[in-house]
Amino acid sequence: MAFIQIIEYETERADEMWALGEARSAAMGDSPPGFRLKVTQDRDDPKRFVTIVEFPSYEMAMENSAKADTDAFARQMAALCTGAPRYRNLDVRRTVPQEE
């Protein structure tokens, strides 16, 4: 079953956050199959962001979370936020149109 993690956060240091994300992407290299990441910005409150991370399974997400570099990235990201990021862990129950 697919798994999505949503991270909601606010920052006044968007440029630094972007640079951190770009460095992380470069360090990761090729994304594993089924992995997708979307970074969104709130039109009504430009300091508010939502990152959507998609994994093929909960188990793959937890393997990723257990990595030391993932923990370091999360700590660096949190340091750039104005408050603690909020995480939502979601099992995908239905997708339309149906994915192969």
Side-chain angles (χ1 to χ4, degrees):
M1 174 184 315
F3 178 79
I4 294 175
Q5 185 172 69
I6 295 176
I7 309 159
E8 300 174 74
Y9 54 96
E10 292 185 15
T11 184
E12 294 180 358
R13 301 163 68 182
D15 291 341
E16 292 174 71
M17 188 72 77
W18 187 262
L20 179 65
E22 289 296 302
R24 172 75 172 149
S25 291
M28 285 179 63
D30 292 337
S31 299
F35 175 87
R36 207 162 29 171
L37 175 118
K38 296 176 185 175
V39 177
T40 67
Q41 185 174 20
D42 189 323
R43 285 181 167 263
D44 299 322
D45 183 353
K47 293 184 225 172
R48 184 174 298 148
F49 294 82
V50 176
T51 297
I52 304 158
V53 188
E54 299 179 36
F55 294 92
S57 69
Y58 172 78
E59 293 75 20
M60 288 185 76
M62 293 304 100
E63 285 176 25
N64 183 65
S65 290
K67 294 179 182 177
D69 57 340
T70 300
D71 182 61
F73 172 76
R75 290 175 189 272
Q76 292 171 319
M77 181 188 145
L80 296 174
C81 294
T82 56
R86 292 182 4 183
Y87 291 82
R88 301 194 187 279
N89 297 309
L90 310 167
D91 290 324
V92 176
R93 298 291 183 196
R94 183 175 182 200
T95 302
V96 177
Q98 198 75 340
E99 294 179 343
E100 300 288 320

